[in-house]
Amino acid sequence: MRLAELSERSGVSTATIKYYLREGLLPAGRRVTATQAEYDEEHLRRLRLVRALIQVGGITVSSAREVLATLQDEGLDHNERLGTAVWALPHGPAPAADDPVADEAARRAGELVRRLGWGHGEDLAEAPAYGMLVGAIAALTRLGYPCAVEDLEPYGRAMGDIAGSDLDLVERYGGSADEQVEAAVALTVLYEPVLLSLRRLAEAEESRRRFTGK
């Protein structure tokens, strides 16, 4: 397909596609003349991923380039590519290293992860999401809200179930190993608003049941 068709099918303007090509977010098309190139389904799939990362995930072009480079690294296995790509997604700020409240929050996070049986403690502690968890626990602590390990553990177990559903969805999505890893990264970004909205709807429903008896 030519650039105009790629734009029409993807919903991305030709100017934006050309920008993505210049920035290395999209592979070059097959040159057919000095001024024209042809594109295929791989370009269409990559455009969908780039849109998910930048427009929905709100990550920078440089971060998107880092994620895409990881997805293309054939030296990494399926799990490593997915893990490294997800690590490159934006996360909240980690707490200051010399904050005593953060030190206690890190202890709780470590105990929570141990109870959940998630991964290797030292490796997991390097994950950006782990730092974000520590920062969230520290903020709850400062404000005096419940955040003991016992309070957090049910959420962790629920997230474990959701992670299983995430990867079930990716496997049903089908395609090659490369396509599945790309889909996993895209769905990590695209499903976060779904999870947030469902949680708020569920809380409204639970509140109605508990406090109105209806």
Side-chain angles (χ1 to χ4, degrees), residues 7 42 110 149 151-152 212:
S7 173
E42 179 184 349
V149 175
D151 299 317
L152 301 172
T212 69

Side-chain angles (χ1 to χ4, degrees), residues 87-108:
W87 278 28
L89 296 174
H91 297 82
D98 57 351
D99 182 351
V101 175
D103 290 342
E104 171 59 20
R107 187 198 65 76
R108 292 185 196 176

